[in-house]
Amino acid sequence: MRRAFTLVEILVVIGVLTLLAALIFPALAQARARGRQTVCSSNLHQLGQAIALYTSDFERFPRGLDPADKYTPQIWQNFPGGLQIMNETPLLTEVMAPYVKEGRLWQCAADTGFDICDTTGLALDARPTCYAKFGMSYFYRTELMLREKAAEDLQFPTQTHVLADGSGAWHGENNILSRNLRYNVLFADAHVKNLSNEQYTQTWGFSVQ
């Protein structure tokens, strides 16, 4: 006669499989997250090379906007002529099209969209993803454009950011239980680094005037 498994044996096997899944799945999730971060960093690095070519040709950073500038232009109402400039200036993707042949470089691999812009605190519908809605996942240090600066004009090029993820939740967390925001950031000297929310906020303190 063939011996069947007992209920206890089946429960033990299920328990072992559950334990293994609990150990493996977080590791797999972390590996996927690291992979998305690596792709995103590579995109920003290549965009940095394209921006360097543009600045070489025009001796200033690109005259383009990110979605926050274009669709919540009131953030520039105190800048001289700010609202008119926002109305007349195209998105950065259009300006950079001759230098960025692969449009997917503007897509962060972790882009899941957002409802509130991190940098302005204003409502901005970036669903289902920021890239799908606006054609770009990365937001611009627009002041560089407004002040017609080039990298060599900056006092702190290694600490002044040019592009960054549109949301810190893409490479971090922002929910009821955790607010651990992280951003992939392209700096004016063309290096890319993953920063905490505090570190990213500090980059805004380096003047570009």
Side-chain angles (χ1 to χ4, degrees), residues 47-48 50-52 54-56 58-64 92 95-96 140-154 157 160-163 186-190 208:
L47 289 173
I51 289 173
Y54 180 102
T55 55
S56 177
F58 294 94
E59 298 182 345
R60 58 178 172 78
F61 281 101
R63 192 167 183 80
L92 186 61
V95 177
M96 289 299 299
Y140 190 29
R141 180 75 182 266
T142 316
E143 192 180 3
L144 295 168
M145 175 273 287
L146 292 172
R147 301 192 183 280
E148 298 188 344
K149 297 293 184 178
E152 56 267 25
D153 299 327
L154 302 176
T160 303
H161 77 273
V162 178
L163 292 175
L186 168 69
F187 288 88
D189 69 338
V208 300

Side-chain angles (χ1 to χ4, degrees), residues 11 13 21 30 56 64 67 69 78 88 90 93 98 128 132 145 147 166 169-170 187 192 203:
L11 291 175
V13 171
Q30 290 177 3
S56 177
D69 303 316
N78 294 326
E88 296 175 349
T93 49
M145 175 273 287
R147 301 192 183 280
W170 298 343
F187 288 88
V192 176
T203 69

Side-chain angles (χ1 to χ4, degrees), residues 10 19 54 61 66 82 101 108 121 126 136-137 160 179 182:
I10 293 173
L19 178 61
Y54 180 102
F61 281 101
D66 65 33
K101 301 302 182 183
C108 172
M136 59 191 301
S137 300
T160 303
R179 183 171 170 81
R182 298 199 67 86

Side-chain angles (χ1 to χ4, degrees), residues 65-73 85-91:
L65 306 178
D66 65 33
D69 303 316
K70 197 69 175 175
Y71 301 106
T72 54
I85 293 171
M86 297 305 123
N87 182 57
E88 296 175 349
T89 307
L91 285 171

Side-chain angles (χ1 to χ4, degrees), residues 36 108-115 126-131 137 167 169-170:
R36 289 191 292 266
C108 172
D111 182 352
T112 55
F114 55 84
D115 300 302
R127 301 291 184 183
T129 68
C130 193
Y131 177 78
S137 300
S167 172
W170 298 343

Side-chain angles (χ1 to χ4, degrees), residues 2-208:
R2 298 178 61 184
R3 181 177 177 273
F5 290 108
T6 66
L7 178 59
V8 172
E9 290 172 330
I10 293 173
L11 291 175
V12 168
V13 171
I14 292 174
V16 170
L17 292 176
T18 301
L19 178 61
L20 289 174
L23 294 173
I24 293 172
F25 287 166
L28 290 175
Q30 290 177 3
R32 286 195 297 268
R34 285 194 296 269
R36 289 191 292 266
Q37 181 179 317
T38 298
V39 171
C40 181
S41 295
S42 176
N43 288 351
L44 283 170
H45 178 70
Q46 293 178 73
L47 289 173
Q49 293 177 325
I51 289 173
L53 290 175
Y54 180 102
T55 55
S56 177
D57 288 343
F58 294 94
E59 298 182 345
R60 58 178 172 78
F61 281 101
R63 192 167 183 80
L65 306 178
D66 65 33
D69 303 316
K70 197 69 175 175
Y71 301 106
T72 54
Q74 62 269 31
I75 63 178
W76 292 106
Q77 61 186 347
N78 294 326
F79 190 90
L83 293 178
Q84 183 177 351
I85 293 171
M86 297 305 123
N87 182 57
E88 296 175 349
T89 307
L91 285 171
L92 186 61
T93 49
E94 298 177 45
V95 177
M96 289 299 299
Y99 299 87
V100 182
K101 301 302 182 183
E102 178 51 64
R104 288 286 179 177
L105 291 179
W106 291 103
Q107 181 180 22
C108 172
D111 182 352
T112 55
F114 55 84
D115 300 302
I116 303 295
C117 178
D118 284 6
T119 53
T120 68
L122 299 176
L124 184 63
D125 179 10
R127 301 291 184 183
T129 68
C130 193
Y131 177 78
K133 189 66 175 286
F134 304 116
M136 59 191 301
S137 300
Y138 306 113
F139 281 29
Y140 190 29
R141 180 75 182 266
T142 316
E143 192 180 3
L144 295 168
M145 175 273 287
L146 292 172
R147 301 192 183 280
E148 298 188 344
K149 297 293 184 178
E152 56 267 25
D153 299 327
L154 302 176
Q155 186 177 1
F156 305 102
T158 62
Q159 294 142 312
T160 303
H161 77 273
V162 178
L163 292 175
D165 293 323
S167 172
W170 298 343
H171 297 294
E173 296 176 296
N174 187 22
N175 52 51
I176 296 175
L177 299 177
S178 174
R179 183 171 170 81
N180 177 31
L181 305 181
R182 298 199 67 86
Y183 301 82
N184 280 341
V185 180
L186 168 69
F187 288 88
D189 69 338
H191 84 278
V192 176
K193 192 172 182 180
N194 183 266
L195 303 181
S196 68
N197 184 48
E198 180 181 3
Q199 291 170 325
Y200 177 49
T201 300
Q202 288 173 353
T203 69
W204 289 93
F206 291 95
S207 173
V208 300

